Amino acid sequence: MRGLTAVVLAAGVGRRLGQPSVPKSLLPLSHRAGEPTFLGRHVGILRECGVDRVVVVMSEAHLGSAQHLEDVELVANTFDTSTTGSTLSLLCGLRAAAPHDGGLLITDADIVYERRLLQSVMGSCGRSCLFLAPRVAGDDEEVRVYGHGHEHPVLIGKGLSPLLTTGLDLLGESLGIVHVAAEDRAFVEEAARWLTGWPDESPAYGFAKGRSEHEELWQYCLTLRRMVSAQVPAGLEYAECDTPDDYAYIRDDLFPAIVAKDGHS
């Protein structure tokens, strides 16, 4: 999509996967030699689907590990990623993307999906939007979105109990893919800076300050009616990698299924 910039958040490492020396996004998706990494496949599909510019934010220590990636702009997150959250990493990417106008596609890097899922997202990049999976599994890692229909999402978070969501519909699980329309770019960058602060420039005012995760940023967008939500079609393969069990499932079962489905799409 002409004018669309993707900001890929890849500064996390694989501590919970037992591989803290390797950026989680650079782990291989398969047991077979030569298969792509999470990040390599993700960047490739973004380019295939017509994203104009891809900005990848990585921790400064691991920036050299991604130099092999083609057609991307690597941005260093110079903060201590063991004590800071993804909103500060996102702000690094937003600042790097600032000289350009057009919309933004903000994505996590530790996700794997079939090509049709991103094609569906790209076809829906109008207003600022949180993209959701239509089904939820019920595990504690899911970031779920609740509201009064997709035109009025109200609440995003993990572990939200029925009491906290009384009167709200469950709209789906966040995919870690968010579109920020061109007219909302300045607002999102300012909100991220307000939440996390920036050294020698502005203090942090968010509850978690530098530890803020980007879901907190999207909560403000929902509250101020700057963002809607949308489900991708049912039946599309997708997973986020948080635990060793997730990674084993992706390598053994999910990624082979995705490759097979992509080959027939």
Side-chain angles (χ1 to χ4, degrees), residues 2-204:
R2 193 67 188 168
L4 187 66
T5 296
V7 177
V8 182
L9 305 179
V13 295
R15 287 188 185 89
R16 284 197 292 172
L17 300 181
Q19 303 188 56
S21 63
V22 181
K24 186 163 57 167
S25 60
L26 293 181
L27 292 173
L29 285 167
S30 171
H31 296 282
R32 292 164 45 184
E35 292 288 359
T37 62
F38 284 91
L39 183 58
R41 175 181 168 82
H42 190 33
V43 168
I45 295 178
L46 287 167
R47 282 299 192 185
E48 288 172 16
C49 289
V51 170
D52 193 55
R53 182 182 179 210
V54 179
V55 175
V56 176
V57 185
M58 301 198 73
S59 65
E60 190 171 35
H62 293 116
L63 204 64
S65 303
Q67 295 292 338
H68 64 284
L69 294 172
E70 298 181 354
D71 297 324
V72 303
E73 299 172 42
L74 297 176
V75 174
N77 178 344
T78 59
F79 302 99
D80 180 358
T81 56
S82 69
T83 61
T84 57
S86 56
T87 302
L88 195 52
S89 194
L90 172 57
L91 186 55
C92 293
L94 293 175
R95 287 183 165 232
H100 299 259
D101 53 15
L104 298 169
L105 198 64
I106 313 295
T107 80
D108 292 326
D110 59 344
I111 56 177
V112 60
Y113 50 88
E114 61 180 280
R115 186 177 288 104
R116 285 193 301 152
L117 186 146
L118 192 65
Q119 289 170 341
S120 174
V121 166
M122 296 288 287
S124 304
C125 284
R127 299 158 65 185
S128 293
C129 184
L130 272 165
F131 288 96
L132 311 176
R135 67 185 187 279
V136 295
D139 67 66
D140 293 338
E141 289 295 333
E142 285 184 339
V143 176
R144 300 188 194 115
V145 178
Y146 298 81
H148 303 293
H150 289 289
E151 287 295 309
H152 190 192
V154 171
L155 196 58
I156 179 172
K158 293 182 181 179
L160 293 166
S161 69
L163 180 59
L164 296 176
T165 58
T166 300
L168 301 176
D169 298 322
L170 173 58
L171 303 179
E173 177 192 359
S174 174
L175 291 172
I177 302 175
V178 180
H179 176 245
V180 176
E183 59 268 24
D184 291 322
R185 281 183 63 153
F187 172 86
V188 167
E189 182 172 343
E190 177 67 7
R193 186 193 62 79
W194 178 81
L195 286 168
T196 65
W198 192 264
D200 303 321
E201 180 181 298
S202 61

